[in-house]
Amino acid sequence: MTNNNDKMSREEAGRKGGETTAKNHDKEFYQEIGQKGGEATAGNHDKEFYQEIGQKGGEATSENHDKEFYQEIGQKGGEATSENHDKEFYQEIGQKGGEATSENHDKEFYQEIGEKGGEARANQRDGSGNGKMSREEAGRKGGEKSRR
């Protein structure tokens, strides 16, 4: 669309310029300018900026997708990760996760999850009546022992 004095609008000029640029450049060109733009942006913003835009992006995505979407991408990510990493990788991230969790939770947290685990196991038991302590009882006792 043109203005009354036969000049091109900014929108039209931008669109035409973009179409011409797209015809004249390949994938590598766009990868290179994207890399440069990312580096420039990283130099101009701090951690909080990226946390904020990440949160906004996550919120927008969650509004547009359902539970099944997240299950599917989680499964795909897990499969891709398992193809690229070995047992030691999982041991290392498990240890780091355990350390981070222990830094963020107190003794009562572990007592509570221990008791819940024991109760859940007891609900799954086969009822064989073989004279052994029930799993629920073992979980409760383990929780009590860790309180000392």
Side-chain angles (χ1 to χ4, degrees):
M1 181 181 285
T2 56
N3 294 334
N4 291 340
N5 54 6
D6 291 330
K7 290 187 178 179
M8 196 181 307
S9 71
R10 278 194 185 145
E11 181 180 339
E12 188 175 1
R15 183 183 52 76
K16 285 188 173 189
E19 290 172 355
T20 302
T21 302
K23 289 177 187 174
N24 294 329
H25 297 286
D26 60 4
K27 180 180 176 182
E28 287 77 24
F29 168 80
Y30 290 103
Q31 289 174 333
E32 185 179 326
I33 63 169
Q35 177 83 28
K36 289 178 181 178
E39 290 170 359
T41 301
N44 294 326
H45 297 286
D46 59 5
K47 181 180 176 182
E48 288 75 25
F49 169 80
Y50 291 103
Q51 289 173 332
E52 184 179 330
I53 64 170
Q55 182 175 352
K56 288 179 180 177
E59 290 169 358
T61 301
S62 70
E63 292 170 2
N64 296 320
H65 297 287
D66 59 6
K67 181 180 177 182
E68 288 75 25
F69 168 80
Y70 289 102
Q71 289 173 334
E72 184 178 329
I73 64 170
Q75 182 175 353
K76 287 179 181 179
E79 290 169 358
T81 302
S82 70
E83 292 170 4
N84 296 319
H85 297 286
D86 59 6
K87 180 180 176 182
E88 287 77 26
F89 168 80
Y90 290 102
Q91 289 172 335
E92 183 179 329
I93 64 170
Q95 182 172 353
K96 287 179 180 179
E99 290 169 359
T101 301
S102 70
E103 291 171 3
N104 294 319
H105 296 286
D106 59 7
K107 190 176 180 180
E108 288 75 27
F109 168 80
Y110 291 101
Q111 291 170 347
E112 184 179 327
I113 64 170
E115 288 179 21
K116 286 181 179 179
E119 291 169 4
R121 287 281 193 145
N123 291 336
Q124 294 174 346
R125 71 177 182 231
D126 61 1
S128 63
N130 57 11
K132 293 183 178 178
M133 183 188 311
S134 73
R135 292 178 178 144
E136 181 178 13
E137 179 70 8
R140 187 182 56 73
K141 286 187 175 186
E144 289 172 357
K145 188 180 257 186
S146 66
R147 287 182 204 151
R148 295 180 194 152

